């Protein structure tokens, strides 16, 4: 009965979304206050019902109800509890239910908490949110019902893809989905503002926390995904330009641009039409991302669901939402009032260039990701686009972007003087020159890209702290700190990427037990290999002892795991994090002569890549807290619903 | 030099246009060089991939072709799409799902003697995985055989 209850809640939530859309539509067009007033409670109840439906599915997974087809296909009673729980969204139907639940809850939160926006714009926003929700409810109810029964129920489920049985990955999709859905709220705000022709600072301030929140979660999701690929796949790399990675990078690029332009709109009343456009684009990118990952259309090493019918469904939704919003934008953009003016050399000017570069990079990634699909549709030829394309096309733009990032925050709003700006940039430029000199002298022969990366990281690192100079640090607003920390995070990440590609050392051997090998400054000895048993897998585990010079030895335990259900093997690299880098050990197979394959990497400062990502997200969080606190202080007294 | 509103919009529009055209040109030139990144053995024979360029080679590991060299970490094998074959050398730890008669994607480059030297063998997340390009190619050759 529990599954039926969940399905019923889902139908009811869908019906309420339809009601929300119709009520809001009629209310906004007729200006009837009774209709307008009814929309908020409907949005809240819809959120509650969607939540009930999702909790029901979690319950079915945790209790391993094998009479539900989805549970039988993705769960097993032998799985650790964490993965029964996380298995709820480790599959197509469950993840789509989570998507729509987060969407509904976000809509409910807007209905409950948003007080500063004018009523009609807010109701139009909630209608837009309901319209998005309806499409996804329809998708779930007609094309991927998570509550479908399986008769007869099997005695045991098929388990979860072992590669997904990892604490990091259990919480990776929710993070990204929360980010995607946060952008849907920004999109709804943009549609609402276009409908009521009310594009201005109030709308930008209402939208900004959602954009910031979405951006923080996308940043965290991408960082975590990169680290997961690094330690779980055993390739020792951290970014592959895989389409699934691009699917999360593209919304991030758009959200980053939107974040900067919405600030111009909120504080300076500039870039009105552009900001609305970006909000549409950012959500479009999360839809494209969902489409790419969920349609199974890609040549990806991790596109999970392969079902063309669903792909067609999402593609249709994509066309309706993006097409509809772009049409609305086209009709209404003429009525958006002129923003305030600014000089080319100014904070706004640098943010415009930042936006253009981010958009250009987004375009390059989008083209590279979709080109194979289009080419196949047009010529029938199957091909794929790889890292060489992305690096050579996006790399130069990224470097210019980073230079702008150093200059922008120390420029004044509205108009600035080029000479004065360059004077303020003297410090960072001097430091960059010193780093350039030092690297060329101390590490001759490193590639041009790592060299540029290190130099730029030093320059940006110093420039990003510059806005704090001469300020009273204790009275500096939190959102300034946020910007400083986020920009510093980019510098830290860049330093990590450059160091990793310039200084990594690798050793690959087949060795007998007891033999010593060298990698970078370490000597490494394989002491033992033993079979062991895990909760739902068996494994062979190596005991590897490493020491640096005459330092204290430490032990690592790389594993190769064998999962019976479904039959899969995974490599668990053993990674030791040291102050100046990571030692990364993978054990392979044995051969007839009793030798074991051993792959060793010494990766200096590689952790800076993800530390930087975390810093960027933390900067976003500081900014969000600062903004929200400021808004609350200025908020009108709370009304009752 | 405070600009007039109209001029400013015009300049912004021109800048945006320049950025888009620039990005498009960059993308096009990179695509022209790099787009053909994935090859099946038949494609590789047909298109004469220049030696030393980073590409992916996909196909099935030919039955009985895996040969392990005495150093313990180098293997030779043959990638086939049932029409053409390419000999491959790889130094490293092969992913667990690498075995005879199953799909494989190798990253690397062709050598002057026609051999493909792989720097990376892509791990698959699923035992049923076969690169779509290979599936299409196999389908084509099977249909031709009949």
């Amino acid at each position: 009965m529990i599954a039926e209850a969940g399905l019923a809640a889902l139908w009811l939530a869908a019906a309420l979304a339809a009601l929300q859309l119709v009520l809001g539509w009629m209310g906004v067009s007729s200006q009837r206050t009774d209709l307008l007033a009814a929309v908020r409670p409907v949005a809240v109840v819809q959120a509650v019902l969607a939540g009930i439906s999702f909790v029901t599915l979690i319950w079915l997974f945790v209790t391993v109800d094998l009479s539900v087809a989805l549970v039988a296909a993705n769960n097993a009673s032998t799985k650790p509890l964490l993965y029964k729980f996380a298995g709820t969204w480790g599959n197509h139907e469950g993840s789509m239910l989570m998507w729509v639940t987060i969407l509904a809850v976000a809509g409910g939160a807007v209905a409950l908490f948003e007080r500063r926006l004018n009523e009609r714009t807010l109701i139009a926003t909630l209608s837009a949110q309901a319209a998005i929700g309806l499409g996804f409810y329809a998708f779930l109810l007609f094309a991927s019902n998570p509550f479908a029964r399986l008769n007869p129920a099997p005695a045991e489920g098929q388990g979860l893809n072992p590669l997904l049985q990892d604490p990091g990955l259990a919480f990776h999709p929710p993070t990204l989905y929360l980010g995607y859905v946060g952008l849907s709220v920004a999109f709804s705000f943009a549609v609402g503002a276009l409908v009521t022709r009310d594009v201005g600072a109030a709308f930008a301030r209402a939208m900004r926390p959602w954009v910031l929140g979405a951006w923080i979660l996308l940043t965290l999701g991408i960082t975590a995904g990169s680290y997961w690929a690094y330690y779980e796949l055993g390739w020792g790399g951290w970014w592959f330009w895989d389409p699934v990675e691009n699917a999360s990078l593209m919304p991030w690029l758009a959200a980053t641009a939107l974040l900067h332009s919405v600030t111009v709109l909120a504080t300076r009343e500039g870039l009105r039409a552009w900001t609305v456009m970006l909000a549409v684009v950012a959500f479009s990118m999360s839809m494209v991302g969902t489409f790419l990952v969920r349609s199974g259309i890609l040549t990806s090493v991790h596109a999970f669901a392969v079902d063309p019918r669903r792909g067609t469904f999402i593609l249709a939704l994509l066309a309706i939402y993006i097409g509809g919003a772009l049409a609305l934008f086209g009709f209404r953009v003429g009525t958006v009032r002129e923003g305030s003016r600014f000089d080319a050399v100014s904070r706004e000017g640098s943010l415009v260039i930042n936006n253009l570069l981010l958009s250009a990079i987004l375009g390059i990634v989008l083209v590279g990701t979709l080109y194979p699909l289009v080419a196949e549709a047009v010529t029938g030829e199957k091909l794929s686009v790889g890292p060489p394309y992305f690096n050579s096309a996006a790399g130069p733009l990224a470097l210019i972007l980073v230079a702008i990032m150093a200059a922008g925050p120390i420029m004044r709003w509205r108009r600035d003087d080029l000479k004065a700006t360059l004077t303020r940039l003297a410090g960072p430029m001097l430091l960059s020159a010193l780093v350039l000199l030092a690297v060329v002298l101390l590490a001759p022969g490193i590639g041009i890209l790592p060299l540029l990366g290190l130099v730029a990281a030093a320059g940006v690192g110093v420039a990003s702290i510059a806005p704090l100079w001469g300020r009273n640090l204790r009275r500096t607003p939190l959102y300034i700190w946020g910007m400083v920390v986020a920009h510093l995070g980019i510098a830290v990440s860049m330093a990590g990427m450059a160091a990793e590609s310039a200084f990594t050392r690798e050793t690959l051997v087949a060795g007998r037990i007891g033999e010593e090998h060298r990698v970078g400054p370490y000597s490494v000895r394989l002491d033992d290999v033993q079979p062991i048993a895990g909760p739902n897998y068996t494994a062979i585990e190596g005991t590897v002892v490493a020491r640096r010079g005459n330092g204290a030895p430490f032990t690592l335990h790389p594993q190769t795991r064998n999962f019976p259900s479904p039959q899969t093997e995974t490599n668990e690299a053993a990674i030791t994090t040291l102050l100046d880098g990571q030692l990364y050990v993978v054990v392979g197979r044995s051969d007839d002569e009793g030798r074991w394959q051993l792959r060793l990497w010494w990766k200096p400062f590689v952790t800076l890549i993800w530390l930087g990502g975390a810093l960027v997200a933390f900067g976003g969080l500081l900014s969000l807290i600062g903004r929200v606190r400021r808004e609350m202080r200025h908020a009108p007294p709370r009304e009752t619903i | 030099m405070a600009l007039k509103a109209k001029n400013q919009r015009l300049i912004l529009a021109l800048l945006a246009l320049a950025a888009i055209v620039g990005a498009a040109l960059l993308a096009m030139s990179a695509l022209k060089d790099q787009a053909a990144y994935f090859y099946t053995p038949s494609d590789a024979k047909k298109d004469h991939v220049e030696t030393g360029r980073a590409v992916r080679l996909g196909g099935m590991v030919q039955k009985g072709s895996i040969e392990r060299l005495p150093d313990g970490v180098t293997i030779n094998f043959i990638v086939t799409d049932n029409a053409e074959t390419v000999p491959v050398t790889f130094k490293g730890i092969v992913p667990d799902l690498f075995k005879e008669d199953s799909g494989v994607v190798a990253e690397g480059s062709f050598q002057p003697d026609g051999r493909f030297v792989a720097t990376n063998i892509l791990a698959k997340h699923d035992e049923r995985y076969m690169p779509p390009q290979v599936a299409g190619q196999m389908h084509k050759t099977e249909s031709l055989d009949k």
Side-chain angles (χ1 to χ4, degrees), chain B residues 41-83:
Chain B
S42 302
D43 296 337
K45 283 268 152 63
K46 197 176 65 199
D47 296 350
H48 299 290
V49 190
E50 57 190 289
T51 57
R53 211 182 89 199
V55 293
R56 279 184 187 161
L57 174 73
M60 307 294 277
V61 180
Q62 192 169 76
K63 204 167 188 164
S65 73
I66 299 180
E67 173 200 0
R68 294 175 194 281
L69 300 195
D71 68 355
V73 289
T74 308
I75 57 169
N76 290 331
F77 58 96
I78 293 172
V79 169
T80 175
D81 55 9
N82 288 354

Side-chain angles (χ1 to χ4, degrees), chain A residues 326-414:
Chain A
L326 285 178
L328 182 67
F329 180 79
F331 283 124
R332 286 289 164 86
V333 69
T335 68
V336 172
R337 272 189 307 122
E338 188 84 48
S340 17
R341 273 177 268 163
F342 54 85
D343 213 55
V345 180
S346 66
R347 179 81 72 82
E348 287 100 323
S350 74
L351 286 171
V352 166
I353 301 177
N354 140 309
N355 265 246
L356 289 176
L357 286 168
L358 281 166
S359 309
I361 295 173
L362 172 60
I364 285 170
V365 178
L366 186 69
V367 165
T369 311
L370 295 185
Y371 180 75
L373 303 181
V374 176
E376 190 187 340
V378 174
T379 65
E381 198 151 334
K382 289 171 193 279
L383 47 84
S384 75
V385 176
Y389 160 78
F390 291 104
N391 291 339
S392 61
L397 293 180
L399 271 177
I400 306 175
L401 180 63
V402 166
I404 295 294
M405 199 183 97
I410 52 178
M411 291 168 100
R412 290 194 180 113
W413 290 107
R414 216 165 111 68

Side-chain angles (χ1 to χ4, degrees), chain A residues 295-307:
Chain A
S295 63
I297 198 166
L298 290 168
T299 319
S300 165
V301 286
H302 47 325
F304 298 114
V306 180
D307 186 340

